[in-house]
Amino acid sequence: MQFKRLTDLVEKGELKGKRVFIRADLNVPQDAKGNITEDTRIRASMPAVEMALKAGAAVMVTSHLGRPTEGEFNESESLMPVAKRMSELLGQPVELKRDWIDGVDVKPGQVVLLENARFNKGEKKNDDALSKKMAALCDVYVNDAFGTAHRAEATTYGIAQYAPIACAGPLMAAELDALGKAVDHPAHPLMAVVGGAKVSGKLTILKTLGGKVDNLIVGGGIANTFLKAAGYEIGRSLVEEELLEEAKSIMEMMQKRGATVPIPVDVICAKEFAASAPASVKKVDAVEADDMILDIGPETAKMLADLIGKAGTIVWNGPVGVFEFDQFGSGTKAVSMAIADSKAFSIAGGGDTLAAIAKYDIGNRISYISTGGGAFLEFLEGKTLPAVEILMQRAQ
């Protein structure tokens, strides 16, 4: 993927005295009183701001926060708490500008935060007139918000069309480099671990990866659908009957090109879905009519860990069992540890995946952790992300 990078402009000294508009992802969780409860996204967005400031630019930053009604100011979704936190992190004042579309007064060495982008009517629909007004505010547009890259909005797409220069910030660039390395130029064997409750939610991903990877490990409720498609009884386990044929076709497609969907040899079952439910390990062909499969068994966990140990690249999205309940978490823990111990290039993303990484404390042993959520999944599906597409067009 060819796109301009903020780091390149800094190295060439092209930001001195320039007005730089940064679209960041500052959509942080807050409590009922408006206090920020987790500031990872703010901290992750500061390197781009610091880079532009040190290069002598006048810096404007904006983001969305929550889901406000467009065109209406709402104090509970104001970026004021973010401005305060940015001031603390940068060690300099960060003024919040409420009405900014018609002009922003900011000097080189200063940074201002532009109020919630979604307070502007036309932001989500990528209104052309709004995009042109935003573009007129700056000399350089920087998209550093990969988490919104799957949306074509005024601050993620429209402004990039019309700004004199459009480039990727360090967060966006790192994300695209990592995803490109994992999906477009992988070291083989290429393996995907895809877990979750339903095949339907990840059918496109499963099909796309099924056509690329050497091994496709499926987990959670998804694995039950594949198990049943392979001819096994799964009792009262979560399953999508209407997608059995899709699961079969993915397995057949992979088999034809010498790739595999490893089927569990043992599973961990319970009679009910509850934190207090006793767990029992069973061979995959010994599941009873009233059993619910809630995790992979120890033999399967070892088999998958051995397979993961041989991988060259690993793409991981989702747990392989109900890891929130400890008695059904051993499979996810074994797979997580195997990925952490692997010498492969590993990229992980998705909310449940991040929760597993945090639970087993392996964040520093995964090559790249994507913060993208929906954008990460759409990239894996093989979709072109609008905000990335426009950066690539502008680089030509």
Side-chain angles (χ1 to χ4, degrees), residues 316 323 332-333 336-341 352-366 369:
W316 177 22
F323 75 104
T332 298
K333 184 176 184 180
S336 302
M337 290 303 182
I339 294 170
D341 292 339
D352 287 341
T353 318
L354 302 190
I357 288 168
K359 181 170 183 174
Y360 305 123
D361 193 23
I362 54 169
N364 60 348
R365 294 159 65 197
I366 305 296
I369 297 172

Side-chain angles (χ1 to χ4, degrees), residues 62-186:
T62 197
S63 172
H64 73 285
L65 180 72
R67 292 179 178 165
T69 303
E70 281 194 4
E72 292 178 22
F73 174 79
N74 177 350
E75 201 168 332
S76 69
E77 287 163 314
S78 167
L79 291 176
M80 182 56 84
V82 176
K84 287 178 185 164
R85 186 68 186 118
M86 281 176 66
S87 298
E88 292 164 7
L89 291 167
L90 294 169
Q92 70 180 78
V94 177
E95 187 189 342
L96 181 71
K97 300 272 189 184
R98 181 159 158 188
D99 299 307
W100 50 272
I101 291 299
D102 294 315
V104 178
D105 181 23
V106 58
K107 295 177 175 57
Q110 291 182 337
V111 55
V112 295
L113 183 61
L114 311 178
E115 185 57 283
N116 196 329
R118 288 189 185 163
F119 287 166
N120 298 310
K121 213 166 184 57
E123 162 66 14
K124 288 194 79 173
K125 287 190 174 162
N126 189 25
D127 179 78
D128 209 48
L130 179 65
S131 299
K132 284 177 177 170
K133 278 190 166 186
M134 289 179 179
L137 298 173
C138 67
D139 303 302
V140 177
Y141 165 73
V142 182
N143 192 331
D144 207 29
F146 179 77
T148 63
H150 56 313
R151 299 191 183 108
E153 298 180 354
T155 58
T156 65
Y157 188 95
I159 185 175
Q161 279 180 293
Y162 301 116
I165 295 171
C167 66
L171 258 186
M172 172 73 91
E175 190 89 34
L176 295 176
D177 288 345
L179 282 163
K181 187 174 174 183
V183 179
D184 298 331
H185 310 287

Side-chain angles (χ1 to χ4, degrees), residues 45 52 108 117 124 142 155 170 193 199 234 238 259 269 282 290 346 349 371 386-387:
S45 299
K124 288 194 79 173
V142 182
T155 58
V193 179
V199 172
I234 58 164
L238 180 67
C269 301
K282 299 191 174 184
D290 62 344
S346 54
T371 55

